[in-house]
């Protein structure tokens, strides 16, 4: 059963490019680190399209950008702690 992506590689809301990390938020929604698109996507069960909750502003080093994100966890307050590999940092995002 495909739970996210599955529409071929790309940057559309139903597509992923090199998904490399997953987590569940406090409401049970799936978070996917989309490394090739420098973003984190959130999927609600049964919905074919996700929403961008971190990054998604092209690769870069600004605070609104990620570059090769590679891991994620959800903090107790619901914020996302993301390994931003190519920027050599760990960042916190509030979706």
């Amino acid at each position: 059963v495909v739970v996210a992506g599955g529409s071929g590689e790309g940057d559309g809301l139903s597509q992923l490019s090199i998904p490399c990390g997953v987590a569940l938020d406090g409401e049970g929604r799936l978070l996917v680190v989309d490394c090739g698109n420098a973003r984190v996507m959130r999927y609600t069960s049964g919905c074919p399209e996700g929403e961008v909750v971190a990054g998604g502003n092209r690769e870069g080093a600004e605070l609104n950008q990620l570059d090769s994100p590679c891991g994620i966890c959800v903090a107790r307050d619901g914020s996302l702690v993301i390994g931003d590999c190519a920027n050599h940092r760990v960042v916190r995002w509030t979706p």
Side-chain angles (χ1 to χ4, degrees):
V1 174
V2 175
V3 295
S7 298
E9 183 178 7
D11 62 1
L13 295 178
S14 65
Q15 297 176 304
L16 296 169
S17 177
I18 313 172
C20 58
V22 297
L24 295 174
D25 71 9
E27 297 179 29
R29 296 174 295 192
L30 178 67
L31 298 161
V32 179
V33 177
D34 188 7
C35 183
N37 287 316
R39 66 186 183 182
V40 175
M41 299 292 292
R42 181 171 57 198
Y43 293 87
T44 301
S45 181
C47 186
E49 291 189 346
E51 65 177 314
V52 179
V53 293
N57 299 304
R58 305 185 77 174
E59 293 177 346
E62 298 297 323
L63 290 178
N64 69 340
Q65 296 175 306
L66 299 169
D67 191 351
S68 300
C70 55
I72 188 170
C73 71
V74 180
R76 287 189 177 140
D77 66 0
S79 62
L80 310 178
V81 180
I82 304 164
D84 191 10
C85 291
N87 284 320
H88 312 284
R89 64 187 184 186
V90 175
V91 294
R92 181 182 298 261
W93 286 64
T94 303

